[in-house]
Amino acid sequence: MMKSRLVVVALVALLLGGTMSAAASGPAILEADTTDPGPWPDADSFEREPMATEVRELDGVNVVFQYGLPVPSFDTWNRPEPSREYLSLDGDWKFAFDPDNVGLAEGWYTRSFDDSGWASKPVPGSWDLYDTPGFGTYDGSRFGEGSAFQDGYAWFRKRVRPAANWKHRFIKLNFLGAGYKTWVYVNGRFVGAHEGSHTPFSIDVSGELEPGRDNVIAVRIHRRPDYDSYTSPNATPIRSVTEIPSGPVDYWPYAGLTRSVYLEATSQVTVSKILTDARNGRLRLAAILFNHGDKEETRLVKADPGDGTGGAPQGEVVTLAPGQVRAVTFELPIPEAEVWDTSSPRLYTAEVTLFKGRGAGQLRNGNGSVDDRLSVNYGMRTVEVADGRLQLNGRPIFLKGVNWHEETSASGRSMTVAEYDVELGMLADLNANFIRNSVYNRHPYVYEYADRHGLLVLDDLDNMWLSLNDFKTQTESYGLSRALALMMAWNQANHPSVIMWSLQNESDIWTDQNMYRAWLSDMKQAIRAVDWHERPVTWASSSSWDPAFDLADVIGFNEYFGYFYGKDEDLGPTLDAVHRQYPDKPILITENGTWSFFGNYGSEDQPGTEEWQAKKFRLHWEQVVQRADFMAGYTFWNLKDYKQRRNYNQQYNGISYMGLVTFDNETRRLVYDEFRNAVNPAP
């Protein structure tokens, strides 16, 4: 990763104290006339993040809400529940760019609009690949051409016909990923807006969708340009006052309906989400229940810890008022459950079932009919910082890992399961146990894969290269950083593979330290409010002397000694100095690496050769593992080459060549074997 903002400072004289509390209530959403949306709203007209993200304490459990409803589980994307009905919207959609932003005025969202002249494009898909010749090649002769550089507004439309028996059901429209900004319409009525390309979201469309009839779903999307020109040597960066990231970054900002879209129909009384925390032979489970209907309802809630755990189901009769959300908590012994670990990633499936019947007695006896059911995979494990070490299941671990970007030359950020299997499968061959999701949340499949294969994950946010004004805007008014942090912790709450949270990457740490600390504290407190596992919190600082390291559970920083600054051998003394300053906090190298032109062989002292890249890795790895008694681990930058739209490497089609493998995964550099052969000091 090019480190144009990298800061290295020998020491800092004073670490400032104090934190800022998270807001007590969620942000408001702009009002919309859903019968005639009009120009609502344009790219930068949100007053606050548009999902109205907030935490509400219900029955002793903190629950995340968006759009006024509890955020549901997205596990159903590939694990349908028998009590529910689904309609996948993947496949061809009608698509058109809207460069002059006339779609709203011309009614592109309406049911009657004639889209027969629009193109048909696949969903999920990244519009960057619709018409960009040679997108995945290293030939930069046509850099700046094609749909990969088409910014501004675009529209998707699809006709759907849900079954007639969906009437009187609670119907959610689920997006696993879209953006950057998204406005959604059903049959000409506005139903919700979303911001952020990498976070799933769910919108209630029960009142707008008409089962048994043809319906039209229209989605308007906006992507901000990075520059006023992608080829001019004097291009001007374009920034947003509220977006995250707020300016150009060095990863590709894929746009469109980049992940799956589906409709989900449930009973009016439903299990929205299950939270789990399994440790020491016990499972703590909370079922988040929602009565979407207009009548008071009584249900038997049955929680089953799953086969192989030795645990027995428990039940409780619960009454919910119209529109009420309840959290029902169970403490379930699981005496035969095995520990989830990297070498034995044992998973179990918990299930919550709602029964309804004619009377409370029938419910208590379990004789009612199944009204709704939701399941979740979980593992029994602990993760903590103790005795100055990062510990998994009570033993110190060392993270040997890589960073990666979620993209392929064929699919952009809309990867197939087969493509994920290829990329993530390299981790086992590399003898790695860890991956950093730099710098955004991944598709749900990634976390499921990691759970099954014992791969440890540092989950990350889009907060990259933010400035003082961004901190102030996000913390004091807009709230998107907090919303993204909450959704990260809520969506990945049950995954045993996720062992740490990262808050930011290389943002401005010196201009106003009080504001920087307030921003970090706001996000950390949000995560702490909903993470039952109490996972350690870190971030990828641009400096080894970040003034807020006292707020981190694990000290994380990106280091490029001997590349962007200093000498390779400066790393060891720097680690020793940071450890002396924070002896109770383990240190994680969140990034380190160099570049090489693949196939360029020669002296290991010549920059740009594969031998030079391999030597650089070896020198840094050795200094880290020599200090394994206080290091949490080392993360190489990067698993493979990656695309970006910044003003460097244009001659290589915007591909940054810092990977262990090339962009197409077909060519391994020498550093691949060097990394694979590096011995983990505490696997």
Side-chain angles (χ1 to χ4, degrees), residues 385 388-390 397-399 434 500 538-539 543-545 549 552-559 571-591 624-625 627-635:
V385 171
R389 299 292 304 275
L390 180 64
I397 57 169
F398 185 92
L399 305 175
F434 172 65
M500 278 192 292
T538 187
W539 56 86
S543 171
S544 53
W545 293 105
F549 272 158
D553 302 306
V554 172
I555 291 176
F557 59 86
N558 301 342
E559 64 89 2
L571 174 58
T574 300
L575 295 174
D576 293 337
V578 174
H579 176 58
R580 286 194 296 271
Q581 183 76 21
Y582 303 100
D584 297 328
K585 297 179 185 288
I587 302 170
L588 173 66
I589 301 300
T590 42
E591 285 182 26
V624 170
V625 297
R627 296 162 173 83
D629 58 334
F630 63 80
M631 295 296 298
Y634 170 96
T635 323

Side-chain angles (χ1 to χ4, degrees), residues 102-363:
V102 299
L104 285 172
E106 295 182 1
W108 293 10
Y109 57 89
T110 62
R111 199 172 195 166
S112 59
F113 178 77
D114 182 7
D115 58 16
S116 60
W118 288 17
S120 292
K121 295 297 182 181
V123 170
S126 302
W127 83 43
D128 306 80
L129 275 70
Y130 287 174
D131 183 21
T132 307
F135 179 80
T137 73
Y138 288 79
D139 177 6
S141 60
R142 300 183 69 179
F143 184 87
E145 299 180 19
S147 59
F149 301 89
Q150 180 77 47
D151 300 311
Y153 293 96
W155 288 77
F156 294 81
R157 286 171 55 91
K158 190 173 185 68
R159 285 172 167 78
V160 299
R161 190 181 183 92
N165 64 3
W166 283 29
K167 290 182 180 179
H168 312 300
R169 304 276 276 172
F170 173 27
I171 305 172
K172 299 189 292 290
L173 176 57
N174 297 329
F175 295 81
L176 296 187
Y180 173 76
K181 285 181 178 172
T182 307
W183 297 262
V184 183
Y185 305 82
V186 175
N187 295 328
R189 295 175 63 85
F190 173 79
V191 294
H194 184 266
E195 183 170 1
S197 298
H198 306 109
T199 305
F201 61 102
S202 179
I203 298 175
D204 178 6
V205 295
S206 309
E208 288 75 24
L209 204 69
E210 299 175 10
R213 298 184 59 189
D214 288 337
N215 297 260
V216 172
I217 296 174
V219 182
R220 178 180 183 238
I221 287 179
H222 181 270
R223 174 172 68 182
R224 183 193 74 246
D226 287 331
Y227 295 93
D228 60 357
S229 168
Y230 288 104
T231 56
S232 169
N234 300 311
T236 301
I238 295 175
R239 296 184 62 84
S240 166
V241 297
T242 57
E243 291 187 5
I244 295 176
S246 58
V249 292
D250 70 340
Y251 63 86
W252 201 275
Y254 293 93
L257 296 178
T258 53
R259 296 175 184 160
S260 291
V261 185
Y262 64 102
L263 289 163
E264 182 176 21
T266 72
S267 167
Q268 294 287 3
V269 182
T270 185
V271 187
S272 293
K273 176 83 171 181
I274 300 172
L275 298 175
T276 63
D277 180 22
R279 62 181 78 190
N280 304 320
R282 296 190 67 83
L283 170 64
R284 181 185 176 210
L285 181 150
I288 311 304
L289 312 180
F290 174 40
N291 180 5
H292 181 265
D294 56 7
K295 297 185 299 182
E296 181 181 275
E297 300 283 357
T298 298
R299 297 290 186 272
L300 170 66
V301 187
K302 178 184 174 184
D304 189 334
D307 294 340
T309 64
Q314 293 182 11
E316 181 175 335
V317 175
V318 176
T319 298
L320 296 98
Q324 186 177 17
V325 181
R326 294 281 309 273
V328 183
T329 303
F330 299 90
E331 296 284 346
L332 302 167
I334 48 174
E336 297 176 11
E338 300 173 9
V339 170
W340 184 96
D341 211 330
T342 53
S343 59
S344 56
R346 185 68 167 89
L347 292 173
Y348 300 96
T349 301
E351 188 175 81
V352 173
T353 306
L354 299 185
F355 295 91
K356 67 177 180 179
R358 295 195 180 114
Q362 185 179 13
L363 289 175

Side-chain angles (χ1 to χ4, degrees), residues 18 83 171 192 211 246 378 380 458 482 492 515 555 643 646:
S83 61
I171 305 172
S246 58
Y378 70 96
M380 185 172 70
L458 170 61
R482 182 189 312 115
Q492 278 70 265
M515 195 69 248
I555 291 176
K643 292 274 289 187
R646 286 175 60 80

Side-chain angles (χ1 to χ4, degrees), residues 365-662:
N365 294 328
N367 297 324
S369 61
V370 173
D371 194 30
D372 190 35
R373 179 176 292 149
L374 183 65
S375 60
V376 63
N377 291 337
Y378 70 96
M380 185 172 70
R381 65 100 180 89
T382 60
V383 58
E384 62 183 338
V385 171
D387 300 322
R389 299 292 304 275
L390 180 64
Q391 299 196 10
L392 179 67
N393 299 321
R395 77 172 197 283
I397 57 169
F398 185 92
L399 305 175
K400 177 189 177 184
V402 296
N403 293 269
W404 76 305
H405 276 302
E406 185 183 43
E407 61 181 342
T408 64
S409 58
S411 304
R413 193 145 294 144
S414 306
M415 292 172 61
T416 65
V417 166
E419 288 174 321
Y420 282 119
D421 288 345
V422 169
E423 296 214 350
L424 296 173
M426 285 191 283
L427 274 293
D429 184 63
L430 286 164
N431 298 313
N433 63 359
F434 172 65
I435 196 162
R436 175 187 169 213
N437 286 339
S438 55
V439 286
Y440 43 84
N441 295 172
R442 297 311 198 253
H443 188 286
Y445 181 76
V446 173
Y447 307 99
E448 296 168 7
Y449 181 100
D451 288 345
R452 293 195 307 271
H453 291 83
L455 182 62
L456 303 174
V457 175
L458 170 61
D459 214 16
D460 210 344
L461 292 177
D462 303 63
N463 291 317
M464 181 172 176
W465 294 357
L466 268 60
S467 67
L468 168 61
N469 287 337
D470 300 324
F471 306 156
K472 187 176 180 65
T473 298
Q474 294 301 332
T475 306
E476 296 184 353
S477 59
Y478 200 68
L480 183 57
S481 286
R482 182 189 312 115
L484 293 175
L486 279 170
M487 288 298 289
M488 174 175 69
W490 183 254
N491 288 333
Q492 278 70 265
N494 298 307
H495 291 288
S497 59
V498 178
I499 62 166
M500 278 192 292
W501 310 114
S502 177
L503 301 181
Q504 65 96 356
N505 183 84
E506 295 181 0
S507 295
D508 179 5
I509 63 177
W510 301 114
T511 301
D512 187 328
Q513 295 174 24
N514 282 327
M515 195 69 248
Y516 173 58
R517 293 173 64 86
W519 176 60
L520 292 173
S521 296
D522 189 32
M523 291 184 289
K524 183 175 180 179
Q525 290 176 22
I527 288 172
R528 282 281 186 262
V530 298
D531 180 22
W532 281 12
H533 295 215
E534 300 177 310
R535 297 168 176 91
V537 172
T538 187
W539 56 86
S541 180
S542 58
S543 171
S544 53
W545 293 105
D546 189 303
F549 272 158
D550 60 302
L551 300 178
D553 302 306
V554 172
I555 291 176
F557 59 86
N558 301 342
E559 64 89 2
Y560 290 86
F561 286 106
Y563 181 4
F564 288 112
Y565 48 80
K567 301 176 182 178
D568 296 298
E569 56 267 28
D570 292 338
L571 174 58
T574 300
L575 295 174
D576 293 337
V578 174
H579 176 58
R580 286 194 296 271
Q581 183 76 21
Y582 303 100
D584 297 328
K585 297 179 185 288
I587 302 170
L588 173 66
I589 301 300
T590 42
E591 285 182 26
N592 168 254
T594 48
W595 54 274
S596 73
F597 300 102
F598 63 90
N600 179 27
Y601 302 115
S603 170
E604 64 178 16
D605 296 319
Q606 177 61 45
T609 66
E610 291 200 23
E611 289 85 355
W612 177 73
Q613 185 186 28
K615 176 187 176 182
K616 288 284 188 180
F617 160 71
R618 184 172 62 252
L619 290 174
H620 288 243
W621 172 264
E622 289 173 351
Q623 293 177 80
V624 170
V625 297
Q626 287 168 4
R627 296 162 173 83
D629 58 334
F630 63 80
M631 295 296 298
Y634 170 96
T635 323
F636 185 78
W637 184 269
N638 199 37
L639 175 60
K640 69 173 190 175
D641 294 353
Y642 59 98
K643 292 274 289 187
Q644 49 79 36
R645 299 201 301 180
R646 286 175 60 80
N647 53 0
Y648 66 90
N649 289 357
Q650 292 186 8
Q651 69 273 32
Y652 299 108
N653 204 20
I655 297 178
S656 182
Y657 35 87
M658 299 181 71
L660 297 170
V661 300
T662 53

